[in-house]
Amino acid sequence: MSAIALATADAAAAARGDVRPYQSYVYAYPHKTAYRPLPDRPALRDLWRGEDKSALSLYLHIPFCEVRCGFCNLFTRIGAPDGLTGRYLDALERQADAVREALGDDGPVRFANAAFGGGTPTFLTADELTRLCDIAERRMGADLRSVPLSVETSPATATADRLAVLAERGATRLSIGVQSFVDAEARAAVRPQRRSDVEAALGRIRAARIPVLNIDLIYGIDGQTPATWRTSLDAALAWEPEELYLYPLYKRPLTGLARRRTAHTDAEWDEQRLDLYRRGRDHLLAHGYEQVSMRMFRRAGAAPQGPEDHACQTDGMIGLGCGARSYTSALHYSFDYAVDMGEIRTIIDDYTATEDFSRADRGWSMDGGEARRRHLLQSLLQARGMPLAEYRERFGAGPYEDFPVELADFAARGWLEGAGTRGEWLRLSPEGLAHSDALGPALFSPAVRAAMAAYDPK
């Protein structure tokens, strides 16, 4: 058994038996709650020296929203005092200049895709969005009109003038968080909106002719039933979105919903969410959508928005903004993380006052073992799975050699296609995809588990 497998056998063994299906949404590994201050504050030019920079991702983070939903634990604040968005963009420019200088000229620097996230990027005015695009293009050198550009929006901020800027600057995908088309459910999720306003926003998005529309929906809201879930699904399908994301509701520490009492037990809630997930999955499959991951569904025939030459498992990422993270092959790094509104305001204020962005402050070292885990996680949680030859070519061994205990456990639970038979691909079964939020955390390293457990929410 490899050293990696020996180091994780205890964690996998502890996970045997019944598991809760909704433990953690693994959208990045490791999570920022595992990041710690970097005592030497390494210079960015040293971190990026020798890295392959020919197919980078670029992410610009805007930490502002008009409201804060009850389920949200993202790094964002409500509103912005006069001048704060301008000061934030000033700091974003300073950071972009420092990062672009650190990338150097020892090899080609090219961005294969870009994204504006948050928060809500369209909280910015149309003029501020123009400035944001200029930072990506003129400061960082990204060609927004020739690469996939994804932008997040909300019903209240998807205004015609903002959408016109994004369309003109090359946005290829717009993602809107609707969560529910049922007004009572939106209120239960502490998301004040009316269906009429949502429909109006979707009409403006379609009128802007941005190629890909993604609609986010949430299941597991208090009071939601199979019938009301179907109502939201059908309302979304009426717009023929190229993509749909179905998210299970989580009640995380320090969020609005975490302070509310509910009538159901955890086991009842798990059962409800699994039932609604399966109903939603089957409904979308029956309407011509293909499942890409547990959450993501793409309409058959819609052009995929992933860059053709970027691999998230191996290629680097540049994150700009106080909630963004950056990835080199050896280090993931970012700024401080918080959920509490007071803490977030302090971090944003500190960011806008920062003059020197030439060093990394907080992060997590990605040694060989962590790189293996990340590669397996980011591949296995996709419906297409992972070609075994790809993993072996990168690491010199197969995943069954590196993670025999975990993969045997997944196979025993029926989470692997073909009961874990070793063919050319490692792929989840439909039931494995349904349990992605349990399967992903089971692959965390002991060190990451310990760091996340020791994190003091703030």
Side-chain angles (χ1 to χ4, degrees):
M1 185 179 293
S2 71
I4 298 169
L6 285 169
T8 61
D10 57 340
R16 292 189 184 279
D18 293 336
V19 296
R20 294 198 62 190
Y22 298 104
Q23 297 180 27
S24 177
Y25 171 26
V26 184
Y27 60 90
Y29 178 78
H31 190 268
K32 284 172 67 175
T33 53
Y35 290 12
R36 292 295 184 268
L38 300 170
D40 54 347
R41 298 190 68 239
L44 299 188
R45 64 176 179 275
D46 294 332
L47 295 178
W48 284 99
R49 185 178 293 117
E51 294 282 316
D52 183 358
K53 293 162 278 193
S54 62
L56 298 171
S57 286
L58 178 64
Y59 178 79
L60 277 66
H61 179 253
I62 302 300
F64 306 107
C65 289
E66 73 276 11
V67 296
R68 180 148 189 163
C69 303
F71 52 83
C72 179
N73 72 335
L74 298 178
F75 187 95
T76 186
R77 62 164 290 166
I78 301 172
D82 288 344
L84 179 57
T85 55
R87 294 195 300 276
Y88 186 84
L89 291 172
D90 289 343
L92 206 63
E93 285 188 346
R94 294 195 297 274
Q95 186 186 8
D97 288 342
V99 171
R100 183 59 190 87
E101 181 179 356
L103 292 177
D105 298 310
D106 57 335
V109 176
R110 174 182 166 273
F111 294 96
N113 65 91
F116 301 159
T120 308
T122 50
F123 178 90
L124 300 178
T125 66
D127 287 343
E128 289 172 331
L129 282 173
T130 297
R131 187 179 175 191
L132 185 68
C133 293
D134 286 343
I135 291 172
E137 292 186 330
R138 299 177 185 177
R139 304 280 179 161
M140 292 304 302
D143 187 354
L144 297 182
R145 292 179 178 85
S146 66
V147 300
L149 170 60
S150 178
V151 184
E152 297 173 13
T153 191
S154 68
T157 62
T159 58
D161 58 339
R162 292 175 169 103
L163 295 173
V165 169
L166 296 174
E168 193 278 328
R169 297 304 288 263
T172 56
R173 178 181 183 271
L174 205 70
S175 180
I176 182 168
V178 172
Q179 319 314 352
S180 177
F181 283 86
V182 179
D183 289 353
E185 290 179 4
R187 290 193 297 272
V190 195
R191 185 178 178 86
Q193 66 185 27
R194 296 178 301 176
R195 177 172 176 174
S196 58
D197 295 332
V198 171
E199 301 277 5
L202 289 167
R204 293 191 295 271
I205 292 171
R206 280 311 198 195
R209 303 181 69 83
I210 292 172
V212 173
L213 164 64
N214 173 71
I215 297 176
D216 289 345
L217 297 177
I218 284 182
Y219 56 91
I221 300 170
D222 283 350
Q224 192 174 47
T225 67
T228 61
W229 178 227
R230 178 76 168 263
T231 295
S232 285
L233 291 167
D234 286 339
L237 287 170
W239 290 96
E240 298 183 346
E242 286 71 24
E243 294 176 3
L244 272 161
Y245 272 71
L246 308 184
Y247 287 96
L249 181 67
Y250 277 94
K251 296 182 180 180
R252 300 178 176 94
L254 303 181
T255 63
L257 288 183
R259 295 186 287 271
R260 291 190 172 191
R261 299 184 64 181
T262 56
H264 53 63
T265 65
D266 288 343
E268 291 169 339
W269 194 29
D270 286 345
E271 184 178 350
Q272 179 209 23
R273 285 181 288 180
L274 271 176
D275 175 63
L276 294 176
Y277 160 77
R278 290 172 176 137
R279 291 174 183 269
R281 174 198 63 195
D282 294 347
H283 196 58
L284 295 187
L285 293 177
H287 281 75
Y289 282 74
E290 301 167 340
Q291 187 166 17
V292 179
S293 68
M294 172 187 167
R295 288 165 172 76
M296 181 181 178
F297 295 80
R298 179 183 295 125
R299 198 180 72 208
Q305 281 299 293
E308 294 181 357
D309 62 345
H310 176 84
C312 64
Q313 298 93 336
T314 56
D315 291 326
M317 171 179 280
I318 295 293
L320 301 179
C322 57
R325 64 185 85 198
S326 298
Y327 305 149
T328 71
S329 60
L331 182 73
H332 289 191
Y333 62 93
S334 183
F335 297 94
D336 201 0
Y337 171 76
V339 176
D340 176 77
M341 291 300 296
E343 296 283 354
I344 289 174
R345 286 193 291 268
T346 298
I347 294 172
I348 293 174
D349 289 344
D350 289 345
Y351 175 82
T352 60
T354 299
E355 294 292 335
D356 182 5
F357 288 100
S358 66
R359 294 181 175 274
D361 292 315
R362 303 175 66 87
W364 186 268
S365 295
M366 297 298 293
D367 60 21
E370 296 291 23
R372 283 171 164 82
R373 292 179 183 280
R374 181 170 181 260
H375 190 112
L376 182 59
L377 273 167
Q378 294 190 308
S379 303
L380 190 58
L381 295 182
Q382 300 297 306
R384 71 185 291 268
M386 183 184 73
L388 296 178
E390 174 188 276
Y391 183 97
R392 184 175 293 277
E393 180 180 358
R394 181 180 180 191
F395 298 112
Y400 285 97
E401 298 167 69
D402 286 341
F403 303 100
V405 176
E406 293 92 331
L407 294 179
D409 183 61
F410 299 162
R413 297 181 188 278
W415 291 354
L416 296 183
E417 189 177 81
T421 57
R422 304 190 186 190
E424 296 180 358
W425 287 75
L426 181 61
R427 185 179 289 121
L428 294 182
S429 66
E431 197 63 13
L433 280 173
H435 287 79
S436 292
D437 285 5
L439 187 150
L443 288 170
F444 292 2
S445 72
V448 165
R449 289 171 182 270
M452 293 177 68
Y455 175 77
D456 186 15
K458 61 180 181 179

